[in-house]
């Protein structure tokens, strides 16, 4: 099984934040804790290793004194790439009306959180889900902060398959769009065969063929 981890820091908040795919380093059964009503209970304590979780946790824990001291957020000065896909995702959603994609597509709200664009595809968290203005097509958008390899083609087609089976109506097409700073030769070879997935590069933020 592939463990996907979510967390929330306030029990009154109905939404959980996706932390990523985690590797369980260790676990302990029967750890004492309090449940949501303050009653004594037991739980499983996990020690996890989750890629990029430091950046995510730093963003969502607002009090400065609660921010882990060992977590630092760095942005490479070598390229104009976003520090991680989440920043690119937030930028696109916030500025959707200013992006050329908005001419033909609207963001699909998440049924659980109501947030536009951000969705769950059963087999993993897809970055952005959009729908064509005439409702004839759903567009799965996968973002990569730097160079995109052919591995992302398998990732996005998996999301597309789940959306086709579980979200799309009978007459709706499902297409994919990969957006990255750069691409390698292998992804172009893959996309020559996968006709329903397109690739665009971002540049300050413009989409370039």
């Amino acid at each position: 099984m592939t463990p996907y981890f979510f967390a929330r820091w306030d029990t009154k908040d109905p939404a959980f934040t996706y932390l990523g795919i985690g590797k369980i380093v260790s676990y302990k059964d029967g750890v004492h804790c309090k449940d949501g009503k303050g009653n004594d209970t037991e739980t499983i304590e996990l020690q996890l290793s989750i890629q990029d979780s430091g950046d995510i946790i730093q963003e969502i824990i607002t009090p400065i004194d609660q921010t882990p001291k060992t977590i630092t957020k760095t942005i490479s000065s070598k390229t104009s790439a976003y520090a991680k896909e989440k920043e690119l995702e937030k930028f696109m959603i916030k500025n959707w009306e200013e992006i050329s994609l908005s001419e033909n597509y609207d963001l699909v709200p998440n049924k659980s959180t109501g947030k536009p664009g951000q969705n769950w595809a059963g087999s993993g968290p897809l970055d952005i889900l959009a729908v064509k203005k005439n409702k004839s097509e759903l567009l799965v958008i996968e973002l990569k902060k730097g160079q995109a390899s052919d591995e992302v083609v398998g990732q996005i087609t998996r999301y597309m398959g789940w959306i086709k089976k579980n979200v799309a109506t009978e007459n709706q097409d499902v297409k994919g769009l990969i957006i990255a700073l750069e691409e390698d030769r292998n992804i172009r070879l893959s996309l020559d065969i996968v006709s329903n997935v397109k690739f665009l590069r971002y540049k300050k933020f413009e989409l370039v063929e």
Side-chain angles (χ1 to χ4, degrees):
M1 296 178 65
T2 302
Y4 294 88
F5 289 95
F6 299 78
R8 65 179 179 181
W9 275 254
D10 187 344
T11 56
K12 296 179 182 179
D13 186 354
F16 283 76
T17 297
Y18 175 68
L19 296 181
I21 297 176
K23 178 181 180 181
I24 300 175
V25 179
S26 64
Y27 71 94
K28 186 190 300 183
D29 288 320
V31 177
H32 176 265
C33 69
K34 300 285 186 180
D35 64 16
K37 297 181 180 180
N39 301 318
D40 290 332
T41 186
E42 293 183 346
T43 188
I44 300 174
E45 181 180 274
L46 298 174
Q47 182 180 355
L48 308 172
S49 173
I50 304 178
Q51 185 178 5
D52 288 337
S53 63
D55 290 334
I56 298 170
I57 291 171
Q58 188 179 30
E59 288 182 3
I60 61 181
I61 298 180
T62 51
I64 296 177
D65 59 351
Q66 292 185 30
T67 304
K69 302 301 181 182
T70 57
I71 293 176
T72 57
K73 187 175 181 180
T74 59
I75 299 177
S76 172
S77 60
K78 293 177 65 177
T79 70
S80 60
Y82 287 80
K84 59 184 187 309
E85 283 82 10
K86 206 68 180 175
E87 294 182 8
L88 179 56
E89 176 186 322
K90 288 179 180 178
F91 176 88
M92 284 190 62
I93 291 173
K94 183 178 180 180
N95 299 278
W96 186 257
E97 297 303 321
E98 307 300 322
I99 297 173
S100 58
L101 288 171
S102 67
E103 296 176 7
N104 297 310
Y105 295 92
D106 295 319
L107 295 174
V108 176
N110 185 295
K111 291 184 178 179
S112 300
T113 65
K115 294 181 179 179
Q118 300 169 320
N119 277 267
W120 177 256
S123 58
L126 62 86
D127 291 330
I128 296 176
L129 182 62
V131 60
K132 209 163 189 177
K133 291 186 182 294
N134 63 7
K135 310 300 182 184
S136 65
E137 175 191 311
L138 289 171
L139 182 66
V140 175
I141 303 175
E142 180 63 27
L143 307 172
K144 295 299 175 186
K145 64 179 180 181
Q147 186 180 72
S149 69
D150 56 344
E151 293 179 359
V152 73
V153 179
Q155 181 183 1
I156 195 171
T157 52
R158 184 174 74 247
Y159 295 161
M160 290 165 61
W162 193 92
I163 292 295
K164 180 69 174 179
K165 184 177 180 180
N166 297 277
V167 178
T169 61
E170 185 177 353
N171 297 320
Q172 270 185 323
D173 290 331
V174 177
K175 294 188 178 180
L177 174 61
I178 300 168
I179 298 176
L181 182 67
E182 299 172 348
E183 83 277 15
D184 63 16
R185 178 174 176 270
N186 289 336
I187 192 174
R188 286 296 185 184
L189 291 173
S190 297
L191 293 178
D192 284 343
I193 301 299
V194 184
S195 59
N196 58 347
V197 178
K198 188 177 180 181
F199 178 88
L200 294 175
R201 292 182 293 110
Y202 71 83
K203 182 180 178 181
K204 293 184 180 179
F205 185 80
E206 298 173 0
L207 299 180
V208 183
E209 290 280 0

